[in-house]
Amino acid sequence: MQSKNSRLKLILLLFMAIPLLLAASLLNAQTKGETEMTTEKWTALILNQNHMNMLECYDYHIYLENKQMLYSCTFHGNASIADRNSLCKLQDMPVTEADLAELNDFLQKLPLERPAPKRPRAPHMRAYDAATFSFLVYFGTYVDRYSLTAKLSAEQKDELRQILHRLFVRVKDRKNDNPA
């Protein structure tokens, strides 16, 4: 009788262990494959910098919404493309996959990884120096998306900003050609 109970317990433990092993293998496969941009298309990109020197502030967003790529950005630019305040502003302009080809090539070369968890700040500490930089690439839908980032060198930051600036000029020209 005791050997039947021990066999039943062993079988029960095996059945309980199988889902755990499957979940662990799926998680391991997901984390190994998430740096491969060829396996899944990115759905949003955010690049921004806040700085005490306003001329060094910029904000770029590209995201997929309703099966359409949308682009918005704000940065300080030269007089030929900027408004009265020397700001280049653009919101919710559609871009095509062809427009994003140069950006996709750049992203393919980056070693993307999960961002480090944010450290909680003490509630009474104020950050007077507002110099911050963030670069995130999102994958998946809004409900179940995850983000990846890469540590960009100064040259990579400049190259990425130039790519996004060229995209801005193309989209802005398109907006001026097709007023709403």
Side-chain angles (χ1 to χ4, degrees):
M1 188 72 163
Q2 198 172 29
S3 65
K4 278 188 177 181
N5 283 343
S6 62
R7 284 184 197 158
L8 287 174
K9 285 181 184 179
L10 181 62
I11 292 171
L12 183 62
L13 285 173
L14 286 174
F15 278 122
M16 290 174 58
I18 289 172
L20 290 174
L21 291 172
L22 285 174
S25 67
L26 286 174
L27 285 173
N28 187 32
Q30 181 183 9
T31 56
K32 282 184 180 176
E34 71 191 14
T35 59
E36 296 293 324
M37 292 209 35
T38 56
T39 59
E40 189 176 357
K41 282 189 161 189
W42 59 275
T43 57
L45 178 138
I46 296 172
L47 174 73
N48 67 38
Q49 176 173 298
N50 290 325
H51 201 276
M52 293 183 72
N53 178 358
M54 290 299 289
L55 296 176
E56 295 184 36
C57 292
Y58 54 85
D59 192 16
Y60 297 93
H61 292 259
I62 300 175
Y63 50 97
L64 181 65
E65 186 175 282
N66 299 328
K67 297 184 181 178
Q68 185 178 28
M69 293 300 291
L70 298 173
Y71 177 76
S72 68
C73 62
T74 304
F75 60 93
H76 287 268
N78 60 29
S80 65
I81 62 171
D83 64 12
R84 283 182 263 184
N85 300 321
S86 300
L87 286 174
C88 301
K89 295 180 182 178
L90 189 64
Q91 287 189 330
D92 297 341
M93 285 301 301
V95 294
T96 64
E97 287 292 328
D99 292 331
L100 299 174
E102 184 181 14
L103 180 59
N104 284 331
D105 291 342
F106 177 83
L107 293 176
Q108 290 286 339
K109 299 173 192 170
L110 293 178
L112 295 173
E113 59 189 22
R114 287 217 183 256
K118 292 183 179 180
R119 291 182 285 156
R121 258 195 244 162
H124 299 292
M125 289 186 66
R126 293 194 177 144
Y128 291 102
D129 179 9
T132 60
F133 175 82
S134 66
F135 167 65
L136 293 169
V137 180
Y138 291 93
F139 294 83
T141 64
Y142 185 77
V143 174
D144 63 349
R145 72 180 181 176
Y146 61 92
S147 62
L148 298 178
T149 190
K151 292 181 179 167
L152 301 177
S153 67
E155 294 82 17
Q156 288 172 320
K157 285 180 188 178
D158 287 341
E159 183 181 355
L160 182 54
R161 285 183 64 199
Q162 288 171 7
I163 291 169
L164 292 170
H165 179 77
R166 285 190 293 273
L167 181 59
F168 167 81
V169 171
R170 279 194 304 270
V171 173
K172 184 176 194 298
D173 289 345
R174 190 178 303 148
K175 182 178 182 180
N176 290 338
D177 291 342
N178 302 320

